[in-house]
DNA sequence: CTGAATCCCAAACGATACTG
DNA sequence: CAGTATCGTTTGGGATTCAG
């Protein structure tokens, strides 16, 4: 990546529609949904437990947005009690891989980040 | 990436500190700052113009957060008028490359996303 | 169980004015 | 120029309730 940079993405202009999609994918819960579904498909409440800390409302909203953007398949089986499975579309899998790479990178670098923070904070504890 | 998945990142647990860093990096303006600085270093107002649509307040806040996390160098030259240059640290460059990959992927896929949306919307315009 | 709908609050954000 | 401070608005998001 250090070599190329063919052309920079246009996300750095206020009116760019890519920003919207980027925000869907990188939203607080969007990232976590995509990362979870990379492993396997999940049912609604399963996903809710797996992610942890997400309200029903936000999970539903996130899932709808990602489904509309073409990242998720929503498979509602007409049974009682209702059962709905969510899985990644091929495009969603690509997105999830990008996001997962980022998340994993962050995790690996977490110690360095905490070190940097300590240095930063101490330098101003004058 | 389809093969491995050595171990999933712990970001999918509410109390995980990685989430904080992930949200700094993927925040609305964080992404754009990192992407911009991947090309070259920028001064404050330069960056503001380049990104477009960001307020002074939010840009300053974003820059401070990313600096504290160890992603940015802030180089304030003691001249009048003031001049402050922002650039990526080595770690920041890694983060920016991840983020840039994501942004670029979104841009390439934008047509497919818009197609998916149209299909989704029409399927419910019953 | 899977959601939709409502209410409500806290946090994020933008605009503006001001300072070194 | 590069920020900080303040204010008012908007939005994200949780809790709760209801429906299929």
């Amino acid at each position: 990546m250090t070599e190329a940079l063919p052309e920079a993405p246009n996300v750095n202009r206020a009116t760019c529609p890519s920003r919207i999609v980027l925000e869907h994918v990188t939203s607080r819960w969007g990232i976590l949904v995509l990362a979870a579904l990379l492993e396997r498909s999940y049912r609604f409440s399963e996903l809710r437990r797996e992610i942890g800390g997400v309200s029903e409302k936000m999970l539903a909203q996130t899932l709808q947005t990602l489904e509309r953007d073409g990242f998720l398949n929503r498979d509602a089986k007409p049974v009682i009690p209702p059962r709905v499975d969510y899985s990644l579309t091929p495009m969603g899998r690509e997105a999830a891989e990008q996001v997962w790479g980022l998340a994993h990178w962050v995790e690996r670098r977490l110690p360095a980040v905490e070190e940097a923070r300590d240095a930063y904070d101490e330098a101003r504890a004058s």
Side-chain angles (χ1 to χ4, degrees), chain A:
Chain A
M1 174 81 51
T2 310
E3 1 70 76
L5 285 186
E7 68 250 51
N10 288 345
V11 280
N12 54 335
R13 283 279 114 221
T15 52
C16 178
S18 307
R19 279 199 188 179
I20 309 292
V21 180
L22 199 54
E23 280 164 24
H24 292 170
V25 168
T26 64
S27 71
R28 183 167 180 198
W29 306 117
I31 294 184
L32 303 174
V33 166
L34 291 173
L37 290 177
L38 201 50
E39 281 192 86
R40 63 179 181 88
S41 74
Y42 279 90
R43 300 178 55 184
F44 185 86
S45 333
E46 246 183 355
L47 200 48
R48 192 153 127 71
R49 281 190 300 273
E50 167 67 16
I51 289 179
V54 61
S55 67
E56 289 182 4
K57 176 188 162 184
M58 290 315 299
L59 183 56
Q61 194 178 102
T62 302
L63 290 170
Q64 281 173 14
T65 302
L66 293 178
E67 185 199 357
R68 189 171 101 101
D69 284 352
F71 297 133
L72 301 187
N73 292 127
R74 180 176 182 279
D75 183 14
K77 320 214 148 125
V79 298
I80 291 181
R83 174 189 179 100
V84 183
D85 285 284
Y86 291 91
S87 58
L88 295 172
T89 62
M91 183 166 75
R93 173 160 290 271
E94 292 180 21
E97 282 165 1
Q98 292 284 340
V99 158
W100 188 90
L102 182 59
H104 195 247
W105 179 87
V106 165
E107 220 187 35
R108 285 204 325 267
R109 288 307 200 156
L110 190 57
V113 169
E114 286 173 341
E115 224 173 292
R117 282 186 192 161
D118 291 345
Y120 182 96
D121 291 344
E122 192 184 354
R124 2 207 114 196
S126 60

